[in-house]
Protein backbone atom coordinates (compact mmCIF):
# COMPACT_ATOMS: atom_id res chain seq x y z
CA UNK A 1 0.00 0.00 0.00
CA UNK A 2 2.25 2.79 -1.28
CA UNK A 3 -0.40 5.53 -1.69
CA UNK A 4 0.26 8.51 0.56
CA UNK A 5 -1.46 11.61 -0.73
CA UNK A 6 -4.02 12.83 -3.27
CA UNK A 7 -2.15 16.17 -3.39
CA UNK A 8 1.52 15.22 -3.43
CA UNK A 9 3.44 12.46 -5.14
CA UNK A 10 6.53 13.04 -2.98
CA UNK A 11 7.42 13.13 0.71
CA UNK A 12 4.94 14.74 3.13
CA UNK A 13 7.23 15.93 5.92
CA UNK A 14 6.21 19.58 5.39
CA UNK A 15 2.68 18.88 6.60
CA UNK A 16 3.78 18.86 10.22
CA UNK A 17 5.32 22.33 10.02
CA UNK A 18 3.70 25.76 10.05
CA UNK A 19 3.34 27.56 6.72
CA UNK A 20 2.60 31.28 6.70
CA UNK A 21 0.63 33.23 4.13
CA UNK A 22 2.95 34.49 1.35
CA UNK A 23 3.80 38.19 1.46
CA UNK A 24 2.25 38.93 -1.95
CA UNK A 25 -1.18 37.44 -1.20
CA UNK A 26 -2.86 40.70 -0.20
CA UNK A 27 -1.47 42.59 -3.23
CA UNK A 28 -2.86 39.95 -5.61
CA UNK A 29 -6.12 39.61 -3.62
CA UNK A 30 -5.35 35.93 -3.20
CA UNK A 31 -6.03 36.34 0.51
CA UNK A 32 -9.68 37.02 -0.38
CA UNK A 33 -9.81 33.96 -2.61
CA UNK A 34 -8.35 31.64 0.04
CA UNK A 35 -10.62 33.10 2.72
CA UNK A 36 -13.63 32.25 0.54
CA UNK A 37 -12.27 28.79 -0.28
CA UNK A 38 -11.72 27.84 3.36
CA UNK A 39 -14.90 29.39 4.79
CA UNK A 40 -17.08 26.66 6.27
CA UNK A 41 -14.23 24.17 6.06
CA UNK A 42 -12.33 25.23 9.17
CA UNK A 43 -12.18 21.63 10.47
CA UNK A 44 -9.79 20.74 7.62
CA UNK A 45 -7.23 23.55 8.15
CA UNK A 46 -6.88 23.98 4.38
CA UNK A 47 -5.08 27.32 4.18
CA UNK A 48 -1.62 25.70 4.40
CA UNK A 49 -2.26 23.78 1.17
CA UNK A 50 -2.89 27.05 -0.67
CA UNK A 51 0.33 28.55 0.73
CA UNK A 52 2.58 25.88 -0.78
CA UNK A 53 3.12 26.19 -4.56
CA UNK A 54 4.61 23.36 -6.58
CA UNK A 55 7.95 23.73 -8.37
CA UNK A 56 7.90 20.67 -10.62
CA UNK A 57 5.79 20.15 -13.71
CA UNK A 58 5.19 16.49 -12.83
CA UNK A 59 3.79 17.50 -9.45
CA UNK A 60 1.40 19.89 -11.20
CA UNK A 61 0.34 17.17 -13.65
CA UNK A 62 -0.36 14.84 -10.72
CA UNK A 63 -3.08 17.26 -9.57
CA UNK A 64 -4.33 17.89 -13.11
CA UNK A 65 -4.99 14.16 -13.51
CA UNK A 66 -6.84 14.01 -10.17
CA UNK A 67 -9.01 16.91 -11.31
CA UNK A 68 -9.62 15.03 -14.55
CA UNK A 69 -11.12 12.14 -12.57
CA UNK A 70 -13.19 14.56 -10.47
CA UNK A 71 -14.78 15.86 -13.69
CA UNK A 72 -16.66 12.54 -13.78
CA UNK A 73 -19.89 13.01 -11.85
CA UNK A 74 -19.71 9.45 -10.56
CA UNK A 75 -16.27 10.04 -9.04
CA UNK A 76 -17.18 13.45 -7.64
CA UNK A 77 -20.40 12.04 -6.15
CA UNK A 78 -18.59 9.16 -4.46
CA UNK A 79 -15.96 11.52 -3.03
CA UNK A 80 -18.57 13.94 -1.70
CA UNK A 81 -20.56 11.11 -0.12
CA UNK A 82 -17.42 9.80 1.59
CA UNK A 83 -16.40 13.27 2.76
CA UNK A 84 -19.91 13.83 4.12
CA UNK A 85 -19.82 10.57 6.07
CA UNK A 86 -16.47 11.38 7.67
CA UNK A 87 -17.75 14.86 8.50
CA UNK A 88 -20.63 13.17 10.32
CA UNK A 89 -18.13 10.90 12.09
CA UNK A 90 -16.17 13.92 13.34
CA UNK A 91 -19.40 15.54 14.53
CA UNK A 92 -20.09 12.46 16.63
CA UNK A 93 -16.59 12.61 18.09
CA UNK A 94 -16.90 16.33 18.78
CA UNK A 95 -20.21 15.75 20.55
CA UNK A 96 -18.69 12.89 22.53
CA UNK A 97 -15.96 15.24 23.82
CA UNK A 98 -18.61 17.62 25.19
CA UNK A 99 -20.60 15.00 27.11
CA UNK A 100 -20.15 14.37 30.82
CA UNK A 101 -21.31 10.80 31.32
CA UNK A 102 -18.82 8.10 30.38
CA UNK A 103 -21.30 5.52 29.11
CA UNK A 104 -22.87 8.07 26.80
CA UNK A 105 -19.43 9.08 25.54
CA UNK A 106 -18.63 5.44 24.82
CA UNK A 107 -21.87 4.98 22.86
CA UNK A 108 -21.20 8.03 20.66
CA UNK A 109 -17.67 6.76 20.07
CA UNK A 110 -19.12 3.45 18.90
CA UNK A 111 -21.50 5.30 16.60
CA UNK A 112 -18.62 7.30 15.10
CA UNK A 113 -16.67 4.09 14.45
CA UNK A 114 -19.75 2.53 12.84
CA UNK A 115 -20.14 5.49 10.47
CA UNK A 116 -16.43 5.24 9.62
CA UNK A 117 -16.55 1.53 8.81
CA UNK A 118 -19.62 1.92 6.61
CA UNK A 119 -18.09 4.93 4.82
CA UNK A 120 -14.86 3.04 4.06
CA UNK A 121 -16.68 -0.01 2.70
CA UNK A 122 -19.06 2.04 0.57
CA UNK A 123 -16.30 4.23 -0.85
CA UNK A 124 -14.07 1.24 -1.60
CA UNK A 125 -16.92 -0.52 -3.42
CA UNK A 126 -17.82 2.55 -5.47
CA UNK A 127 -14.23 3.26 -6.50
CA UNK A 128 -13.94 -0.36 -7.58
CA UNK A 129 -16.59 0.17 -10.23
CA UNK A 130 -15.27 3.46 -11.62
CA UNK A 131 -12.88 4.17 -14.47
CA UNK A 132 -10.02 6.05 -12.85
CA UNK A 133 -7.14 7.50 -14.86
CA UNK A 134 -5.09 9.47 -12.33
CA UNK A 135 -2.25 7.95 -10.34
CA UNK A 136 -3.74 9.58 -7.28
CA UNK A 137 -7.14 7.91 -7.41
CA UNK A 138 -5.82 4.61 -8.69
CA UNK A 139 -3.35 4.57 -5.81
CA UNK A 140 -6.13 5.39 -3.37
CA UNK A 141 -8.28 2.56 -4.74
CA UNK A 142 -5.44 0.06 -4.32
CA UNK A 143 -4.83 1.32 -0.80
CA UNK A 144 -8.50 0.96 0.20
CA UNK A 145 -8.70 -2.51 -1.35
CA UNK A 146 -5.81 -3.60 0.86
CA UNK A 147 -7.02 -1.66 3.90
CA UNK A 148 -10.48 -3.27 4.02
CA UNK A 149 -8.79 -6.70 3.94
CA UNK A 150 -6.32 -5.77 6.68
CA UNK A 151 -6.53 -7.30 10.15
CA UNK A 152 -6.83 -3.82 11.62
CA UNK A 153 -9.94 -2.86 9.68
CA UNK A 154 -11.49 -6.34 9.84
CA UNK A 155 -11.16 -6.38 13.62
CA UNK A 156 -12.60 -2.88 13.90
CA UNK A 157 -15.59 -3.79 11.71
CA UNK A 158 -16.26 -7.07 13.53
CA UNK A 159 -15.97 -5.48 16.97
CA UNK A 160 -18.23 -2.59 15.98
CA UNK A 161 -20.95 -4.91 14.70
CA UNK A 162 -20.70 -7.26 17.69
CA UNK A 163 -21.01 -4.47 20.28
CA UNK A 164 -23.88 -2.80 18.41
CA UNK A 165 -25.72 -6.12 18.20
CA UNK A 166 -25.13 -6.76 21.90
CA UNK A 167 -26.48 -3.37 22.90
CA UNK A 168 -29.52 -3.87 20.64
CA UNK A 169 -30.56 -6.89 22.72
CA UNK A 170 -30.78 -4.87 25.94
CA UNK A 171 -34.37 -4.72 27.26
CA UNK A 172 -35.49 -3.35 30.61
CA UNK A 173 -38.47 -1.98 32.47
CA UNK A 174 -38.73 1.27 34.43
CA UNK A 175 -41.10 1.46 37.40
CA UNK A 176 -42.08 4.91 38.69
CA UNK A 177 -43.73 5.52 42.06
CA UNK A 178 -43.65 9.05 43.35
CA UNK A 179 -40.06 10.21 43.21
CA UNK A 180 -38.72 6.65 43.25
CA UNK A 181 -37.38 4.94 40.12
CA UNK A 182 -36.78 1.21 39.91
CA UNK A 183 -35.18 -0.60 36.95
CA UNK A 184 -35.80 -4.31 36.39
CA UNK A 185 -35.43 -6.95 33.74
CA UNK A 186 -37.99 -6.84 30.94
CA UNK A 187 -40.14 -9.93 31.21
CA UNK A 188 -42.52 -9.55 28.27
CA UNK A 189 -44.84 -7.26 30.19
CA UNK A 190 -47.80 -5.92 28.26
CA UNK A 191 -47.30 -2.64 26.42
CA UNK A 192 -49.79 -0.42 28.27
CA UNK A 193 -49.54 2.41 25.76
CA UNK A 194 -50.75 0.09 22.99
CA UNK A 195 -53.67 -1.11 25.13
CA UNK A 196 -54.73 2.44 25.98
CA UNK A 197 -54.64 3.48 22.33
CA UNK A 198 -56.77 0.44 21.43
CA UNK A 199 -59.31 1.20 24.17
CA UNK A 200 -59.83 4.78 23.00
CA UNK A 201 -59.78 3.95 19.28
CA UNK A 202 -63.62 3.80 19.23
CA UNK A 203 -63.85 7.46 20.25
CA UNK A 204 -61.70 8.67 17.39
CA UNK A 205 -63.55 11.31 15.30
CA UNK A 206 -61.11 12.30 12.59
CA UNK A 207 -58.39 14.96 12.82
CA UNK A 208 -58.28 16.68 16.19
CA UNK A 209 -55.87 19.00 17.95
CA UNK A 210 -52.87 17.24 19.43
CA UNK A 211 -52.57 18.16 23.11
CA UNK A 212 -49.57 15.98 23.84
CA UNK A 213 -46.57 17.75 25.31
CA UNK A 214 -43.50 17.57 23.13
CA UNK A 215 -40.28 16.78 24.93
CA UNK A 216 -37.14 18.55 23.72
CA UNK A 217 -34.34 16.24 22.68
CA UNK A 218 -30.91 16.90 24.16
CA UNK A 219 -27.77 14.99 23.35
CA UNK A 220 -26.64 15.31 26.97
CA UNK A 221 -28.37 13.01 29.46
CA UNK A 222 -29.62 14.44 32.73
CA UNK A 223 -28.58 12.95 36.06
CA UNK A 224 -31.72 10.80 36.35
CA UNK A 225 -31.17 9.25 32.91
CA UNK A 226 -27.51 8.65 33.77
CA UNK A 227 -28.46 6.80 36.97
CA UNK A 228 -31.05 4.73 35.09
CA UNK A 229 -28.38 3.79 32.54
CA UNK A 230 -26.03 2.74 35.33
CA UNK A 231 -28.77 0.46 36.70
CA UNK A 232 -29.39 -0.98 33.23
CA UNK A 233 -25.65 -1.69 32.95
CA UNK A 234 -25.80 -3.63 36.20
CA UNK A 235 -28.66 -5.73 34.83
CA UNK A 236 -26.80 -6.32 31.53
CA UNK A 237 -23.10 -6.13 32.37
CA UNK A 238 -21.78 -8.00 29.31
CA UNK A 239 -22.81 -5.52 26.55
CA UNK A 240 -21.63 -2.53 28.55
CA UNK A 241 -18.33 -4.19 29.38
CA UNK A 242 -17.82 -4.82 25.70
CA UNK A 243 -18.69 -1.17 24.96
CA UNK A 244 -16.08 0.01 27.47
CA UNK A 245 -13.43 -2.33 26.08
CA UNK A 246 -14.23 -1.24 22.52
CA UNK A 247 -13.56 2.41 23.34
CA UNK A 248 -10.20 1.50 24.84
CA UNK A 249 -9.15 -1.04 22.20
CA UNK A 250 -9.98 1.19 19.21
CA UNK A 251 -9.14 4.58 20.67
CA UNK A 252 -7.22 5.54 17.50
CA UNK A 253 -9.20 3.70 14.86
CA UNK A 254 -8.92 6.37 12.14
CA UNK A 255 -6.32 5.28 9.58
CA UNK A 256 -3.69 7.99 9.04
CA UNK A 257 -3.76 7.76 5.24
CA UNK A 258 -7.56 7.80 5.13
CA UNK A 259 -7.62 10.82 7.42
CA UNK A 260 -5.07 12.60 5.22
CA UNK A 261 -7.11 11.92 2.09
CA UNK A 262 -10.27 13.20 3.78
CA UNK A 263 -8.49 16.47 4.54
CA UNK A 264 -6.60 16.86 1.27
CA UNK A 265 -9.53 16.14 -1.04
CA UNK A 266 -11.20 19.26 0.36
CA UNK A 267 -8.52 21.30 -1.46
CA UNK A 268 -10.05 20.22 -4.76
CA UNK A 269 -13.67 20.28 -3.61
CA UNK A 270 -13.35 23.81 -2.22
CA UNK A 271 -11.93 25.17 -5.48
CA UNK A 272 -14.48 23.37 -7.65
CA UNK A 273 -17.28 24.71 -5.47
CA UNK A 274 -15.85 28.25 -5.61
CA UNK A 275 -15.49 28.30 -9.40
CA UNK A 276 -18.76 26.56 -10.28
CA UNK A 277 -20.93 29.73 -10.07
CA UNK A 278 -18.42 31.54 -12.30
CA UNK A 279 -18.57 28.74 -14.87
CA UNK A 280 -22.36 28.93 -14.86
CA UNK A 281 -22.00 32.60 -15.78
CA UNK A 282 -20.00 31.57 -18.84
CA UNK A 283 -16.53 32.39 -17.51
CA UNK A 284 -13.89 29.95 -18.77
CA UNK A 285 -11.42 27.94 -16.69
CA UNK A 286 -8.62 25.80 -18.07
CA UNK A 287 -5.84 23.54 -16.88
CA UNK A 288 -2.78 25.45 -18.12
CA UNK A 289 0.17 24.03 -19.98
CA UNK A 290 3.02 24.65 -17.56
CA UNK A 291 6.78 24.75 -17.85
CA UNK A 292 9.64 25.27 -15.43
CA UNK A 293 11.90 26.35 -18.32
CA UNK A 294 10.05 28.17 -21.09
CA UNK A 295 8.93 31.72 -20.30
CA UNK A 296 6.71 31.95 -23.37
CA UNK A 297 3.39 32.61 -21.62
CA UNK A 298 -0.08 33.39 -22.90
CA UNK A 299 -3.77 33.38 -22.03
CA UNK A 300 -7.02 34.36 -23.68
CA UNK A 301 -10.24 35.48 -22.02
CA UNK A 302 -8.55 35.71 -18.63
CA UNK A 303 -9.76 37.71 -15.61
CA UNK A 304 -9.14 38.56 -11.95
CA UNK A 305 -10.58 35.66 -9.94
CA UNK A 306 -11.27 37.64 -6.77
CA UNK A 307 -12.92 40.49 -8.68
CA UNK A 308 -14.97 38.08 -10.81
CA UNK A 309 -16.39 36.40 -7.71
CA UNK A 310 -17.51 39.78 -6.37
CA UNK A 311 -18.90 41.06 -9.68
CA UNK A 312 -20.86 37.94 -10.51
CA UNK A 313 -22.24 37.93 -6.98
CA UNK A 314 -23.51 41.46 -7.60
CA UNK A 315 -24.90 40.53 -11.02
CA UNK A 316 -22.29 42.57 -12.95
CA UNK A 317 -20.35 41.48 -16.02
CA UNK A 318 -16.66 40.54 -16.05
CA UNK A 319 -14.24 42.00 -18.60
CA UNK A 320 -11.76 39.47 -19.98
CA UNK A 321 -8.32 40.13 -21.44
CA UNK A 322 -5.59 38.40 -23.44
CA UNK A 323 -1.80 38.51 -23.26
CA UNK A 324 1.23 36.72 -24.62
CA UNK A 325 5.00 36.86 -24.33
CA UNK A 326 7.21 34.96 -26.75
CA UNK A 327 10.59 34.94 -28.50
CA UNK A 328 12.54 36.41 -25.60
CA UNK A 329 9.87 38.89 -24.46
CA UNK A 330 9.80 39.04 -20.68
CA UNK A 331 8.24 42.29 -19.44
CA UNK A 332 4.72 43.64 -19.96
CA UNK A 333 4.76 47.42 -19.43
CA UNK A 334 1.13 48.49 -18.89
CA UNK A 335 0.23 52.15 -19.23
CA UNK A 336 -2.81 54.24 -20.10
CA UNK A 337 -5.52 56.23 -18.30
CA UNK A 338 -6.12 55.81 -14.60
CA UNK A 339 -8.93 53.55 -13.39
CA UNK A 340 -8.74 51.65 -16.65
CA UNK A 341 -8.06 48.16 -15.28
CA UNK A 342 -4.25 48.20 -15.29
CA UNK A 343 -3.85 47.09 -11.68
CA UNK A 344 -6.53 44.42 -12.13
CA UNK A 345 -4.63 43.12 -15.15
CA UNK A 346 -1.39 42.96 -13.14
CA UNK A 347 -3.15 41.06 -10.38
CA UNK A 348 -4.61 38.68 -12.95
CA UNK A 349 -1.15 37.92 -14.33
CA UNK A 350 0.13 37.11 -10.84
CA UNK A 351 -2.95 35.10 -9.87
CA UNK A 352 -2.71 32.96 -12.99
CA UNK A 353 0.87 31.95 -12.33
CA UNK A 354 0.26 31.22 -8.67
CA UNK A 355 -2.91 29.18 -9.24
CA UNK A 356 -1.04 27.27 -11.96
CA UNK A 357 1.68 26.45 -9.44
CA UNK A 358 -1.02 24.97 -7.18
CA UNK A 359 -2.07 22.63 -9.98
CA UNK A 360 -5.52 24.22 -10.25
CA UNK A 361 -7.61 25.34 -13.24
CA UNK A 362 -6.99 29.03 -13.95
CA UNK A 363 -9.31 31.75 -15.26
CA UNK A 364 -9.10 31.84 -19.04
CA UNK A 365 -8.82 29.67 -22.13
CA UNK A 366 -5.83 28.22 -23.94
CA UNK A 367 -3.43 29.13 -21.13
CA UNK A 368 0.34 28.57 -21.11
CA UNK A 369 2.29 29.59 -18.01
CA UNK A 370 5.67 29.46 -16.29
CA UNK A 371 6.24 27.94 -12.85
CA UNK A 372 8.16 30.65 -10.94
CA UNK A 373 10.41 29.93 -8.00
CA UNK A 374 9.02 32.98 -6.17
CA UNK A 375 6.57 35.81 -6.76
CA UNK A 376 7.43 39.36 -5.71
CA UNK A 377 5.01 42.29 -5.70
CA UNK A 378 5.60 46.00 -5.34
CA UNK A 379 2.34 47.84 -4.69
CA UNK A 380 1.80 51.22 -3.09
CA UNK A 381 2.12 51.26 0.70
CA UNK A 382 1.24 53.74 3.38
CA UNK A 383 4.21 55.53 4.88
CA UNK A 384 5.54 53.83 8.00
CA UNK A 385 6.60 56.45 10.51
CA UNK A 386 8.76 53.93 12.38
CA UNK A 387 11.19 53.59 9.45
CA UNK A 388 11.88 57.36 9.31
CA UNK A 389 11.86 57.04 5.51
CA UNK A 390 9.84 59.04 3.02
CA UNK A 391 7.52 57.31 0.58
CA UNK A 392 9.92 57.41 -2.36
CA UNK A 393 12.82 56.23 -0.24
CA UNK A 394 10.69 53.41 1.10
CA UNK A 395 9.80 52.37 -2.47
CA UNK A 396 13.48 52.26 -3.37
CA UNK A 397 14.27 50.21 -0.27
CA UNK A 398 11.57 47.64 -1.05
CA UNK A 399 12.56 47.34 -4.70
CA UNK A 400 16.19 46.90 -3.65
CA UNK A 401 15.10 44.01 -1.42
CA UNK A 402 13.11 42.44 -4.26
CA UNK A 403 15.94 42.67 -6.80
CA UNK A 404 18.35 41.29 -4.22
CA UNK A 405 16.32 38.10 -3.81
CA UNK A 406 14.78 37.62 -7.27
CA UNK A 407 16.25 35.15 -9.72
CA UNK A 408 15.78 34.50 -13.42
CA UNK A 409 13.00 32.08 -12.44
CA UNK A 410 11.08 34.69 -10.42
CA UNK A 411 7.92 36.61 -11.30
CA UNK A 412 7.71 40.35 -10.47
CA UNK A 413 4.51 42.41 -10.32
CA UNK A 414 5.29 46.14 -10.11
CA UNK A 415 2.24 48.35 -9.72
CA UNK A 416 2.43 52.17 -10.09
CA UNK A 417 5.96 52.20 -8.73
CA UNK A 418 7.55 55.64 -8.24
CA UNK A 419 4.22 57.44 -8.48
CA UNK A 420 5.26 59.42 -5.41
CA UNK A 421 8.11 61.28 -7.12
CA UNK A 422 8.62 63.63 -10.07
CA UNK A 423 8.32 62.44 -13.66
CA UNK A 424 12.05 62.99 -14.20
CA UNK A 425 13.01 60.83 -11.21
CA UNK A 426 10.40 58.22 -12.14
CA UNK A 427 11.88 57.90 -15.63
CA UNK A 428 15.44 57.73 -14.32
CA UNK A 429 14.85 55.23 -11.50
CA UNK A 430 12.19 53.23 -13.35
CA UNK A 431 14.47 52.77 -16.35
CA UNK A 432 17.29 51.52 -14.14
CA UNK A 433 14.97 49.03 -12.38
CA UNK A 434 13.59 47.72 -15.68
CA UNK A 435 17.13 47.31 -17.04
CA UNK A 436 18.04 45.22 -14.00
CA UNK A 437 14.96 43.05 -14.54
CA UNK A 438 15.94 42.69 -18.20
CA UNK A 439 19.43 41.57 -17.17
CA UNK A 440 17.83 39.16 -14.71
CA UNK A 441 15.65 37.70 -17.49
CA UNK A 442 12.75 37.43 -15.05
CA UNK A 443 9.08 37.65 -16.01
CA UNK A 444 7.49 40.94 -15.01
CA UNK A 445 4.37 43.09 -15.29
CA UNK A 446 5.16 46.77 -14.73
CA UNK A 447 2.18 49.11 -14.39
CA UNK A 448 3.36 52.68 -14.84
CA UNK A 449 2.55 56.19 -16.05
CA UNK A 450 6.03 56.37 -17.58
CA UNK A 451 5.68 55.39 -21.25
CA UNK A 452 9.44 55.38 -21.78
CA UNK A 453 9.77 52.14 -19.81
CA UNK A 454 8.06 50.21 -22.62
CA UNK A 455 10.78 51.20 -25.09
CA UNK A 456 13.89 49.91 -23.34
CA UNK A 457 14.49 46.93 -25.58
CA UNK A 458 13.05 43.91 -27.36
CA UNK A 459 12.26 42.14 -24.09
CA UNK A 460 9.69 44.80 -23.12
CA UNK A 461 6.14 44.78 -24.53
CA UNK A 462 3.75 47.72 -24.30
CA UNK A 463 0.13 47.19 -23.32
CA UNK A 464 -2.47 49.89 -22.75
CA UNK A 465 -5.78 50.26 -20.97
CA UNK A 466 -8.43 51.41 -23.44
CA UNK A 467 -11.28 53.93 -23.49
CA UNK A 468 -14.42 54.29 -25.59
CA UNK A 469 -13.29 56.26 -28.66
CA UNK A 470 -16.50 58.30 -28.81
CA UNK A 471 -16.29 59.12 -25.09
CA UNK A 472 -12.71 59.01 -23.73
CA UNK A 473 -13.99 59.47 -20.18
CA UNK A 474 -15.49 55.95 -20.29
CA UNK A 475 -13.09 53.05 -19.61
CA UNK A 476 -13.54 49.70 -21.34
CA UNK A 477 -11.20 47.91 -18.90
CA UNK A 478 -9.68 46.12 -21.88
CA UNK A 479 -5.88 45.89 -21.89
CA UNK A 480 -4.48 45.53 -25.39
CA UNK A 481 -1.03 45.08 -26.82
CA UNK A 482 -0.11 48.37 -28.52
CA UNK A 483 2.56 51.10 -28.32
CA UNK A 484 2.10 53.60 -25.49
CA UNK A 485 0.57 56.87 -26.73
CA UNK A 486 1.11 59.02 -23.64
CA UNK A 487 -2.58 59.90 -23.33
CA UNK A 488 -4.06 59.87 -19.86
CA UNK A 489 -7.41 61.36 -20.95
CA UNK A 490 -7.48 63.49 -17.82
CA UNK A 491 -8.95 66.38 -19.81
CA UNK A 492 -11.89 64.24 -20.88
CA UNK A 493 -12.67 63.32 -17.30
CA UNK A 494 -12.32 66.94 -16.16
CA UNK A 495 -14.68 68.05 -18.90
CA UNK A 496 -17.21 65.33 -18.06
CA UNK A 497 -17.41 66.47 -14.43
CA UNK A 498 -17.15 70.21 -15.14
CA UNK A 499 -13.64 70.58 -13.76
CA UNK A 500 -11.85 72.20 -16.69
CA UNK A 501 -10.23 75.60 -16.21
CA UNK A 502 -12.92 77.24 -18.32
CA UNK A 503 -15.75 75.55 -16.44
CA UNK A 504 -14.28 76.37 -13.04
CA UNK A 505 -13.84 80.08 -13.96
CA UNK A 506 -17.44 80.21 -15.13
CA UNK A 507 -18.68 78.72 -11.89
CA UNK A 508 -16.53 81.04 -9.78
CA UNK A 509 -17.78 84.06 -11.73
CA UNK A 510 -21.31 83.29 -10.63
Amino acid sequence: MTFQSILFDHELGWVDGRIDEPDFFADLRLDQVVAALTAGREEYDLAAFFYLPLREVEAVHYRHHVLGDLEQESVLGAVREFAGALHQMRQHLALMAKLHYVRQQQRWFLQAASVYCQAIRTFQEKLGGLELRSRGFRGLREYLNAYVRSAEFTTLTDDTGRVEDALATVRYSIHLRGNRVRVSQYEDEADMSAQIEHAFERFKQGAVKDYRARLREHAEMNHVEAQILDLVAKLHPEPFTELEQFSTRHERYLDETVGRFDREIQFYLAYLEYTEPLKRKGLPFALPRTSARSKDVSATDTFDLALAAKLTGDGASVVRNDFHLSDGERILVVSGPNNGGKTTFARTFGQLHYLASLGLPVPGADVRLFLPDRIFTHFEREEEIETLRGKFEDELHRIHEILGHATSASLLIMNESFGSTTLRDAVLVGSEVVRQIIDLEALCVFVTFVDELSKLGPTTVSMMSMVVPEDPAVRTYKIVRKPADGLAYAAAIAEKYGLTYKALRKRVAR
Side-chain angles (χ1 to χ4, degrees), residues 38-176:
T38 56
R41 287 181 162 85
E42 288 76 12
E43 64 188 284
Y44 302 104
D45 189 23
L46 292 179
F49 295 138
F50 293 100
Y51 297 161
L52 192 74
L54 305 174
R55 305 299 184 208
E56 299 176 5
V57 173
E58 280 303 314
V60 170
H61 289 169
Y62 183 82
R63 295 187 183 180
H64 284 186
H65 297 153
V66 169
L67 285 161
D69 278 339
L70 288 173
E71 287 180 354
Q72 301 181 58
E73 191 57 41
S74 55
V75 177
L76 184 60
V79 167
R80 282 176 169 163
E81 181 182 351
F82 176 74
L86 261 64
H87 171 69
Q88 182 185 38
M89 177 202 73
R90 283 190 299 276
Q91 286 184 314
H92 291 341
L93 294 175
L95 174 61
M96 180 199 75
K98 297 177 182 178
L99 299 175
H100 294 87
Y101 298 105
V102 174
R103 297 191 195 280
Q104 192 180 18
Q105 290 177 339
Q106 293 169 348
R107 184 62 183 89
W108 277 107
F109 182 81
L110 176 66
Q111 180 62 25
S114 178
V115 170
Y116 172 76
C117 291
Q118 184 59 46
I120 291 291
R121 287 196 175 278
T122 300
F123 193 39
Q124 180 256 344
E125 290 171 2
K126 288 192 173 184
L127 288 184
L130 296 175
E131 183 181 352
L132 303 173
R133 298 183 178 89
S134 68
R135 285 196 297 120
F137 270 113
R138 290 203 308 267
L140 173 67
R141 180 168 59 189
E142 292 174 5
Y143 183 89
L144 290 179
N145 288 341
Y147 177 54
V148 297
R149 295 193 301 266
S150 67
E152 175 189 358
F153 184 76
T154 302
T155 301
L156 174 65
T157 304
D158 291 346
D159 286 357
T160 301
R162 187 182 67 258
V163 177
E164 285 185 320
D165 291 343
L167 290 173
T169 64
V170 173
R171 296 287 187 273
Y172 57 93
S173 296
I174 299 177
H175 305 270
L176 304 175

Side-chain angles (χ1 to χ4, degrees), residues 168-361:
T169 64
V170 173
R171 296 287 187 273
Y172 57 93
S173 296
I174 299 177
H175 305 270
L176 304 175
R177 175 170 293 181
N179 60 358
R180 293 175 63 101
V181 179
R182 183 168 62 88
V183 179
S184 66
Q185 295 281 5
Y186 175 66
E187 298 177 349
D188 295 326
E189 292 93 344
D191 186 346
M192 299 302 296
S193 60
Q195 292 185 20
I196 293 172
E197 285 184 2
H198 178 71
F200 282 90
E201 182 70 24
R202 71 187 70 178
F203 302 108
K204 191 173 183 180
Q205 298 181 1
V208 294
K209 183 177 179 180
D210 189 350
Y211 288 94
R212 290 176 298 178
R214 297 189 180 276
L215 300 177
R216 294 179 60 188
E217 292 188 7
H218 297 277
E220 176 72 85
M221 294 190 304
N222 59 44
H223 68 285
V224 175
E225 293 170 325
Q227 291 182 57
I228 290 174
L229 184 57
D230 287 340
L231 294 174
V232 172
K234 289 182 179 179
L235 292 174
H236 302 273
E238 295 84 1
F240 287 92
T241 299
E242 288 191 16
L243 177 62
E244 180 180 359
Q245 292 174 348
F246 178 91
S247 299
T248 303
R249 186 184 310 119
H250 300 291
E251 182 180 5
R252 291 182 173 84
Y253 66 82
L254 178 61
D255 179 75
E256 181 181 354
T257 300
V258 170
R260 185 186 305 122
F261 169 81
D262 178 49
R263 179 192 177 201
E264 290 180 348
I265 197 64
Q266 293 296 323
F267 172 87
Y268 299 103
L269 297 182
Y271 193 76
L272 293 174
E273 183 179 309
Y274 180 80
T275 56
E276 185 57 34
L278 304 180
K279 293 178 182 177
R280 289 199 299 267
K281 294 291 185 180
L283 295 174
F285 284 82
L287 290 173
R289 302 188 301 278
T290 56
S291 174
R293 296 181 179 179
S294 175
K295 296 174 188 174
D296 289 355
V297 298
S298 61
T300 59
D301 285 338
T302 189
F303 52 91
D304 180 326
L305 184 57
L307 180 60
K310 181 179 185 302
L311 291 176
T312 54
D314 296 338
S317 59
V318 177
V319 176
R320 292 176 262 177
N321 282 295
D322 307 338
F323 67 82
H324 73 272
L325 289 171
S326 60
D327 300 326
E329 297 169 339
R330 295 289 181 266
I331 304 173
L332 292 173
V333 179
V334 187
S335 60
N338 289 335
N339 302 315
K342 300 189 299 295
T343 298
T344 298
F345 177 82
R347 286 195 178 106
T348 300
F349 193 87
Q351 287 178 13
L352 287 178
H353 283 84
Y354 190 76
L355 292 172
S357 71
L358 292 177
L360 293 170

